[in-house]
Amino acid sequence: MAEPASLATRGSDFARLATKINEAGLLDRRPVYYAVRGAIVAASFVGGWALFVWVGDSWLQLLVAVVLAVVFTQVGFIAHDLGHRQVFRTRRTSDLVGMLVGNLGIGLGWGWWNTKHNKHHANPNHEDHDPDVSPAVIVWSEDQVSRSRGLPRFIAKRQALWFFPLLTLEAWHLHVASVKAVFQPETKRRRTEGALLLAHFVLYFGAVFAVLPFGKALLFLIVHQGVFGVYLGCSFAPNHKGMPVLTAEDKLDFLRKQVLTSRNVRGGVVTDIALGQLNYQIEHHLFPNMPAPNLRKAQPIVRRYCEEIGVSYLETGLFRSYGQALRHLHDVGAALR
């Protein structure tokens, strides 16, 4: 990758880009946008559960489960934006609304997820510091393959084939990790977060088993949580999977660390909505607190600037991004085949 800037000047590369972004007003809050978006998602959430009650004891509930999975993911996107303080300026308000949206709304532990996600942003795709590429089940580098044991080593042989089936368990993993975090001493607001998570699960499972007989209720849970996990995974996977995995030997400045490990996904309004505007991942990683609707406007500025300083800027189609991620997973596991 061409990187003509010297080590002495790289530290100022991001500062010059930030000046351009600030001058364009792209870090300004968008309260009207988030008020409208929040109202639409809230109405969809309430409407989805109203539809669930109205449909009642019917196999059509499996379609309702898919609808609610889509809505839950859209709620998750708003929780993500709240975590980056894109919506509100103060941390207190962001945390309060975030806990209501995350813990109570979709059973996602606010404190645990924010801590994990901030570590990811600080060191994206770094095999020692990014929890999103930790070899818990999937392995992301040849070094991780060589050190893998047990289930990760078994999965790694054919992990490209396992990837999407494993995503059906992702929502359950997030719920379990959220509950575990409540019992960790370092977790802030443990009682509040625990109470909101408990309220979510009591209301969620209570509603499902009150409306549906046991067998249909189980199928509803499997479909709802499975599609929820796949949708979340398919929204986040194009962003970094298949991009360079960094190690302690890689010494990159902030701009290069964020740009070279991220991938943008082309698309119009439909893609923006479907992916929560995280398809502008490069811009999001450079400016995490930039309101989501401004990311599209920032893209040409960032792309042009990267071209000027010789930093590779990757943008591809959605399905090609999945192909790149799966090829990477396949190649990483080659030594075990």
PDB file of all heavy atoms in Angstrom, residues 201-227:
ATOM      1  N   PHE A 201     -36.232  -9.819  30.132  1.00  0.00           N
ATOM      2  CA  PHE A 201     -36.426 -11.254  29.938  1.00  0.00           C
ATOM      3  C   PHE A 201     -37.761 -11.731  30.513  1.00  0.00           C
ATOM      4  O   PHE A 201     -38.400 -12.621  29.940  1.00  0.00           O
ATOM      5  CB  PHE A 201     -35.255 -12.025  30.555  1.00  0.00           C
ATOM      6  CG  PHE A 201     -33.955 -11.802  29.840  1.00  0.00           C
ATOM      7  CD1 PHE A 201     -32.833 -11.350  30.522  1.00  0.00           C
ATOM      8  CD2 PHE A 201     -33.855 -12.016  28.471  1.00  0.00           C
ATOM      9  CE1 PHE A 201     -31.631 -11.137  29.859  1.00  0.00           C
ATOM     10  CE2 PHE A 201     -32.661 -11.803  27.795  1.00  0.00           C
ATOM     11  CZ  PHE A 201     -31.547 -11.360  28.490  1.00  0.00           C
ATOM     12  N   VAL A 202     -38.186 -11.137  31.623  1.00  0.00           N
ATOM     13  CA  VAL A 202     -39.493 -11.515  32.187  1.00  0.00           C
ATOM     14  C   VAL A 202     -40.605 -11.131  31.215  1.00  0.00           C
ATOM     15  O   VAL A 202     -41.514 -11.938  30.934  1.00  0.00           O
ATOM     16  CB  VAL A 202     -39.702 -10.827  33.551  1.00  0.00           C
ATOM     17  CG1 VAL A 202     -41.169 -10.967  33.999  1.00  0.00           C
ATOM     18  CG2 VAL A 202     -38.768 -11.431  34.597  1.00  0.00           C
ATOM     19  N   LEU A 203     -40.549  -9.913  30.674  1.00  0.00           N
ATOM     20  CA  LEU A 203     -41.585  -9.464  29.739  1.00  0.00           C
ATOM     21  C   LEU A 203     -41.515 -10.239  28.428  1.00  0.00           C
ATOM     22  O   LEU A 203     -42.550 -10.626  27.866  1.00  0.00           O
ATOM     23  CB  LEU A 203     -41.418  -7.971  29.472  1.00  0.00           C
ATOM     24  CG  LEU A 203     -41.722  -7.040  30.648  1.00  0.00           C
ATOM     25  CD1 LEU A 203     -41.316  -5.607  30.318  1.00  0.00           C
ATOM     26  CD2 LEU A 203     -43.204  -7.100  31.008  1.00  0.00           C
ATOM     27  N   TYR A 204     -40.317 -10.465  27.944  1.00  0.00           N
ATOM     28  CA  TYR A 204     -40.135 -11.141  26.648  1.00  0.00           C
ATOM     29  C   TYR A 204     -40.620 -12.586  26.703  1.00  0.00           C
ATOM     30  O   TYR A 204     -41.502 -12.990  25.936  1.00  0.00           O
ATOM     31  CB  TYR A 204     -38.655 -11.077  26.264  1.00  0.00           C
ATOM     32  CG  TYR A 204     -38.297 -11.806  24.989  1.00  0.00           C
ATOM     33  CD1 TYR A 204     -38.665 -11.305  23.743  1.00  0.00           C
ATOM     34  CD2 TYR A 204     -37.571 -12.999  25.032  1.00  0.00           C
ATOM     35  CE1 TYR A 204     -38.326 -11.963  22.573  1.00  0.00           C
ATOM     36  CE2 TYR A 204     -37.221 -13.669  23.864  1.00  0.00           C
ATOM     37  CZ  TYR A 204     -37.602 -13.149  22.637  1.00  0.00           C
ATOM     38  OH  TYR A 204     -37.262 -13.809  21.482  1.00  0.00           O
ATOM     39  N   PHE A 205     -40.038 -13.367  27.631  1.00  0.00           N
ATOM     40  CA  PHE A 205     -40.438 -14.773  27.713  1.00  0.00           C
ATOM     41  C   PHE A 205     -41.878 -14.902  28.209  1.00  0.00           C
ATOM     42  O   PHE A 205     -42.606 -15.808  27.781  1.00  0.00           O
ATOM     43  CB  PHE A 205     -39.488 -15.540  28.633  1.00  0.00           C
ATOM     44  CG  PHE A 205     -38.120 -15.750  28.044  1.00  0.00           C
ATOM     45  CD1 PHE A 205     -37.023 -15.099  28.577  1.00  0.00           C
ATOM     46  CD2 PHE A 205     -37.940 -16.592  26.959  1.00  0.00           C
ATOM     47  CE1 PHE A 205     -35.754 -15.280  28.033  1.00  0.00           C
ATOM     48  CE2 PHE A 205     -36.676 -16.789  26.413  1.00  0.00           C
ATOM     49  CZ  PHE A 205     -35.584 -16.121  26.948  1.00  0.00           C
ATOM     50  N   GLY A 206     -42.283 -14.006  29.106  1.00  0.00           N
ATOM     51  CA  GLY A 206     -43.660 -14.039  29.598  1.00  0.00           C
ATOM     52  C   GLY A 206     -44.656 -13.841  28.480  1.00  0.00           C
ATOM     53  O   GLY A 206     -45.663 -14.569  28.384  1.00  0.00           O
ATOM     54  N   ALA A 207     -44.420 -12.878  27.601  1.00  0.00           N
ATOM     55  CA  ALA A 207     -45.331 -12.612  26.483  1.00  0.00           C
ATOM     56  C   ALA A 207     -45.366 -13.791  25.517  1.00  0.00           C
ATOM     57  O   ALA A 207     -46.441 -14.216  25.073  1.00  0.00           O
ATOM     58  CB  ALA A 207     -44.901 -11.342  25.757  1.00  0.00           C
ATOM     59  N   VAL A 208     -44.198 -14.318  25.185  1.00  0.00           N
ATOM     60  CA  VAL A 208     -44.135 -15.412  24.205  1.00  0.00           C
ATOM     61  C   VAL A 208     -44.864 -16.648  24.715  1.00  0.00           C
ATOM     62  O   VAL A 208     -45.677 -17.253  24.001  1.00  0.00           O
ATOM     63  CB  VAL A 208     -42.659 -15.739  23.866  1.00  0.00           C
ATOM     64  CG1 VAL A 208     -42.581 -17.024  23.018  1.00  0.00           C
ATOM     65  CG2 VAL A 208     -42.010 -14.581  23.126  1.00  0.00           C
ATOM     66  N   PHE A 209     -44.613 -17.035  25.958  1.00  0.00           N
ATOM     67  CA  PHE A 209     -45.231 -18.256  26.479  1.00  0.00           C
ATOM     68  C   PHE A 209     -46.680 -18.041  26.923  1.00  0.00           C
ATOM     69  O   PHE A 209     -47.428 -19.008  27.061  1.00  0.00           O
ATOM     70  CB  PHE A 209     -44.390 -18.821  27.625  1.00  0.00           C
ATOM     71  CG  PHE A 209     -43.148 -19.516  27.156  1.00  0.00           C
ATOM     72  CD1 PHE A 209     -41.925 -18.866  27.169  1.00  0.00           C
ATOM     73  CD2 PHE A 209     -43.206 -20.814  26.684  1.00  0.00           C
ATOM     74  CE1 PHE A 209     -40.771 -19.487  26.730  1.00  0.00           C
ATOM     75  CE2 PHE A 209     -42.056 -21.464  26.237  1.00  0.00           C
ATOM     76  CZ  PHE A 209     -40.834 -20.794  26.252  1.00  0.00           C
ATOM     77  N   ALA A 210     -47.078 -16.769  27.123  1.00  0.00           N
ATOM     78  CA  ALA A 210     -48.480 -16.499  27.455  1.00  0.00           C
ATOM     79  C   ALA A 210     -49.363 -16.566  26.217  1.00  0.00           C
ATOM     80  O   ALA A 210     -50.525 -17.002  26.294  1.00  0.00           O
ATOM     81  CB  ALA A 210     -48.607 -15.123  28.104  1.00  0.00           C
ATOM     82  N   VAL A 211     -48.839 -16.170  25.090  1.00  0.00           N
ATOM     83  CA  VAL A 211     -49.636 -16.119  23.857  1.00  0.00           C
ATOM     84  C   VAL A 211     -49.579 -17.427  23.085  1.00  0.00           C
ATOM     85  O   VAL A 211     -50.561 -17.838  22.466  1.00  0.00           O
ATOM     86  CB  VAL A 211     -49.154 -14.943  22.961  1.00  0.00           C
ATOM     87  CG1 VAL A 211     -49.809 -14.988  21.588  1.00  0.00           C
ATOM     88  CG2 VAL A 211     -49.441 -13.610  23.642  1.00  0.00           C
ATOM     89  N   LEU A 212     -48.422 -18.102  23.126  1.00  0.00           N
ATOM     90  CA  LEU A 212     -48.232 -19.299  22.310  1.00  0.00           C
ATOM     91  C   LEU A 212     -48.109 -20.558  23.166  1.00  0.00           C
ATOM     92  O   LEU A 212     -47.574 -20.495  24.273  1.00  0.00           O
ATOM     93  CB  LEU A 212     -46.953 -19.143  21.461  1.00  0.00           C
ATOM     94  CG  LEU A 212     -46.929 -17.994  20.457  1.00  0.00           C
ATOM     95  CD1 LEU A 212     -45.570 -17.916  19.777  1.00  0.00           C
ATOM     96  CD2 LEU A 212     -48.035 -18.149  19.430  1.00  0.00           C
ATOM     97  N   PRO A 213     -48.584 -21.693  22.634  1.00  0.00           N
ATOM     98  CA  PRO A 213     -48.333 -22.962  23.327  1.00  0.00           C
ATOM     99  C   PRO A 213     -46.840 -23.264  23.295  1.00  0.00           C
ATOM    100  O   PRO A 213     -46.087 -22.697  22.498  1.00  0.00           O
ATOM    101  CB  PRO A 213     -49.138 -23.981  22.512  1.00  0.00           C
ATOM    102  CG  PRO A 213     -49.336 -23.344  21.178  1.00  0.00           C
ATOM    103  CD  PRO A 213     -49.391 -21.873  21.419  1.00  0.00           C
ATOM    104  N   PHE A 214     -46.418 -24.192  24.139  1.00  0.00           N
ATOM    105  CA  PHE A 214     -45.003 -24.400  24.389  1.00  0.00           C
ATOM    106  C   PHE A 214     -44.197 -24.654  23.106  1.00  0.00           C
ATOM    107  O   PHE A 214     -43.149 -24.039  22.877  1.00  0.00           O
ATOM    108  CB  PHE A 214     -44.819 -25.585  25.347  1.00  0.00           C
ATOM    109  CG  PHE A 214     -43.405 -25.784  25.790  1.00  0.00           C
ATOM    110  CD1 PHE A 214     -42.851 -24.974  26.780  1.00  0.00           C
ATOM    111  CD2 PHE A 214     -42.611 -26.767  25.218  1.00  0.00           C
ATOM    112  CE1 PHE A 214     -41.532 -25.150  27.190  1.00  0.00           C
ATOM    113  CE2 PHE A 214     -41.290 -26.948  25.622  1.00  0.00           C
ATOM    114  CZ  PHE A 214     -40.757 -26.137  26.600  1.00  0.00           C
ATOM    115  N   GLY A 215     -44.658 -25.530  22.245  1.00  0.00           N
ATOM    116  CA  GLY A 215     -43.924 -25.868  21.032  1.00  0.00           C
ATOM    117  C   GLY A 215     -43.758 -24.678  20.100  1.00  0.00           C
ATOM    118  O   GLY A 215     -42.652 -24.417  19.603  1.00  0.00           O
ATOM    119  N   LYS A 216     -44.848 -23.963  19.855  1.00  0.00           N
ATOM    120  CA  LYS A 216     -44.773 -22.791  18.980  1.00  0.00           C
ATOM    121  C   LYS A 216     -43.928 -21.697  19.613  1.00  0.00           C
ATOM    122  O   LYS A 216     -43.226 -20.954  18.917  1.00  0.00           O
ATOM    123  CB  LYS A 216     -46.180 -22.271  18.681  1.00  0.00           C
ATOM    124  CG  LYS A 216     -46.970 -23.143  17.720  1.00  0.00           C
ATOM    125  CD  LYS A 216     -48.354 -22.568  17.453  1.00  0.00           C
ATOM    126  CE  LYS A 216     -49.150 -23.493  16.533  1.00  0.00           C
ATOM    127  NZ  LYS A 216     -50.544 -23.036  16.337  1.00  0.00           N
ATOM    128  N   ALA A 217     -44.014 -21.592  20.938  1.00  0.00           N
ATOM    129  CA  ALA A 217     -43.222 -20.581  21.634  1.00  0.00           C
ATOM    130  C   ALA A 217     -41.729 -20.846  21.432  1.00  0.00           C
ATOM    131  O   ALA A 217     -40.950 -19.926  21.159  1.00  0.00           O
ATOM    132  CB  ALA A 217     -43.557 -20.568  23.121  1.00  0.00           C
ATOM    133  N   LEU A 218     -41.317 -22.111  21.532  1.00  0.00           N
ATOM    134  CA  LEU A 218     -39.916 -22.450  21.325  1.00  0.00           C
ATOM    135  C   LEU A 218     -39.475 -22.127  19.899  1.00  0.00           C
ATOM    136  O   LEU A 218     -38.391 -21.577  19.668  1.00  0.00           O
ATOM    137  CB  LEU A 218     -39.669 -23.924  21.625  1.00  0.00           C
ATOM    138  CG  LEU A 218     -39.655 -24.343  23.096  1.00  0.00           C
ATOM    139  CD1 LEU A 218     -39.376 -25.831  23.214  1.00  0.00           C
ATOM    140  CD2 LEU A 218     -38.620 -23.550  23.886  1.00  0.00           C
ATOM    141  N   LEU A 219     -40.323 -22.470  18.919  1.00  0.00           N
ATOM    142  CA  LEU A 219     -39.983 -22.172  17.532  1.00  0.00           C
ATOM    143  C   LEU A 219     -39.901 -20.670  17.297  1.00  0.00           C
ATOM    144  O   LEU A 219     -39.029 -20.188  16.560  1.00  0.00           O
ATOM    145  CB  LEU A 219     -41.017 -22.802  16.593  1.00  0.00           C
ATOM    146  CG  LEU A 219     -40.894 -24.314  16.375  1.00  0.00           C
ATOM    147  CD1 LEU A 219     -42.044 -24.825  15.532  1.00  0.00           C
ATOM    148  CD2 LEU A 219     -39.564 -24.636  15.700  1.00  0.00           C
ATOM    149  N   PHE A 220     -40.811 -19.920  17.929  1.00  0.00           N
ATOM    150  CA  PHE A 220     -40.774 -18.464  17.806  1.00  0.00           C
ATOM    151  C   PHE A 220     -39.437 -17.935  18.328  1.00  0.00           C
ATOM    152  O   PHE A 220     -38.801 -17.095  17.688  1.00  0.00           O
ATOM    153  CB  PHE A 220     -41.933 -17.840  18.582  1.00  0.00           C
ATOM    154  CG  PHE A 220     -41.936 -16.338  18.550  1.00  0.00           C
ATOM    155  CD1 PHE A 220     -42.650 -15.655  17.576  1.00  0.00           C
ATOM    156  CD2 PHE A 220     -41.225 -15.588  19.493  1.00  0.00           C
ATOM    157  CE1 PHE A 220     -42.648 -14.261  17.536  1.00  0.00           C
ATOM    158  CE2 PHE A 220     -41.207 -14.202  19.462  1.00  0.00           C
ATOM    159  CZ  PHE A 220     -41.929 -13.542  18.479  1.00  0.00           C
ATOM    160  N   LEU A 221     -39.022 -18.424  19.498  1.00  0.00           N
ATOM    161  CA  LEU A 221     -37.761 -17.971  20.096  1.00  0.00           C
ATOM    162  C   LEU A 221     -36.576 -18.311  19.195  1.00  0.00           C
ATOM    163  O   LEU A 221     -35.668 -17.489  19.005  1.00  0.00           O
ATOM    164  CB  LEU A 221     -37.568 -18.609  21.466  1.00  0.00           C
ATOM    165  CG  LEU A 221     -38.556 -18.192  22.560  1.00  0.00           C
ATOM    166  CD1 LEU A 221     -38.325 -19.022  23.821  1.00  0.00           C
ATOM    167  CD2 LEU A 221     -38.422 -16.713  22.869  1.00  0.00           C
ATOM    168  N   ILE A 222     -36.578 -19.515  18.630  1.00  0.00           N
ATOM    169  CA  ILE A 222     -35.476 -19.938  17.767  1.00  0.00           C
ATOM    170  C   ILE A 222     -35.392 -19.055  16.529  1.00  0.00           C
ATOM    171  O   ILE A 222     -34.310 -18.581  16.146  1.00  0.00           O
ATOM    172  CB  ILE A 222     -35.645 -21.420  17.366  1.00  0.00           C
ATOM    173  CG1 ILE A 222     -35.448 -22.318  18.591  1.00  0.00           C
ATOM    174  CG2 ILE A 222     -34.678 -21.801  16.254  1.00  0.00           C
ATOM    175  CD1 ILE A 222     -35.805 -23.774  18.344  1.00  0.00           C
ATOM    176  N   VAL A 223     -36.549 -18.805  15.904  1.00  0.00           N
ATOM    177  CA  VAL A 223     -36.562 -17.987  14.686  1.00  0.00           C
ATOM    178  C   VAL A 223     -36.226 -16.537  15.008  1.00  0.00           C
ATOM    179  O   VAL A 223     -35.389 -15.914  14.331  1.00  0.00           O
ATOM    180  CB  VAL A 223     -37.933 -18.077  13.983  1.00  0.00           C
ATOM    181  CG1 VAL A 223     -38.015 -17.082  12.821  1.00  0.00           C
ATOM    182  CG2 VAL A 223     -38.176 -19.491  13.475  1.00  0.00           C
ATOM    183  N   HIS A 224     -36.850 -15.997  16.041  1.00  0.00           N
ATOM    184  CA  HIS A 224     -36.642 -14.588  16.366  1.00  0.00           C
ATOM    185  C   HIS A 224     -35.192 -14.303  16.727  1.00  0.00           C
ATOM    186  O   HIS A 224     -34.543 -13.411  16.158  1.00  0.00           O
ATOM    187  CB  HIS A 224     -37.558 -14.170  17.516  1.00  0.00           C
ATOM    188  CG  HIS A 224     -37.356 -12.742  17.945  1.00  0.00           C
ATOM    189  ND1 HIS A 224     -37.057 -12.400  19.239  1.00  0.00           N
ATOM    190  CD2 HIS A 224     -37.369 -11.584  17.242  1.00  0.00           C
ATOM    191  CE1 HIS A 224     -36.916 -11.089  19.321  1.00  0.00           C
ATOM    192  NE2 HIS A 224     -37.092 -10.566  18.120  1.00  0.00           N
ATOM    193  N   GLN A 225     -34.647 -15.066  17.660  1.00  0.00           N
ATOM    194  CA  GLN A 225     -33.271 -14.835  18.091  1.00  0.00           C
ATOM    195  C   GLN A 225     -32.270 -15.231  17.001  1.00  0.00           C
ATOM    196  O   GLN A 225     -31.210 -14.597  16.867  1.00  0.00           O
ATOM    197  CB  GLN A 225     -32.988 -15.596  19.385  1.00  0.00           C
ATOM    198  CG  GLN A 225     -33.790 -15.117  20.583  1.00  0.00           C
ATOM    199  CD  GLN A 225     -33.451 -13.684  20.991  1.00  0.00           C
ATOM    200  OE1 GLN A 225     -32.312 -13.242  20.846  1.00  0.00           O
ATOM    201  NE2 GLN A 225     -34.429 -12.965  21.502  1.00  0.00           N
ATOM    202  N   GLY A 226     -32.604 -16.250  16.224  1.00  0.00           N
ATOM    203  CA  GLY A 226     -31.716 -16.658  15.141  1.00  0.00           C
ATOM    204  C   GLY A 226     -31.595 -15.599  14.068  1.00  0.00           C
ATOM    205  O   GLY A 226     -30.490 -15.249  13.635  1.00  0.00           O
ATOM    206  N   VAL A 227     -32.736 -15.065  13.618  1.00  0.00           N
ATOM    207  CA  VAL A 227     -32.710 -14.015  12.585  1.00  0.00           C
ATOM    208  C   VAL A 227     -32.093 -12.738  13.146  1.00  0.00           C
ATOM    209  O   VAL A 227     -31.355 -12.032  12.443  1.00  0.00           O
ATOM    210  CB  VAL A 227     -34.133 -13.747  12.051  1.00  0.00           C
ATOM    211  CG1 VAL A 227     -34.124 -12.584  11.053  1.00  0.00           C
ATOM    212  CG2 VAL A 227     -34.689 -14.995  11.374  1.00  0.00           C
TER     213      VAL A 227
END
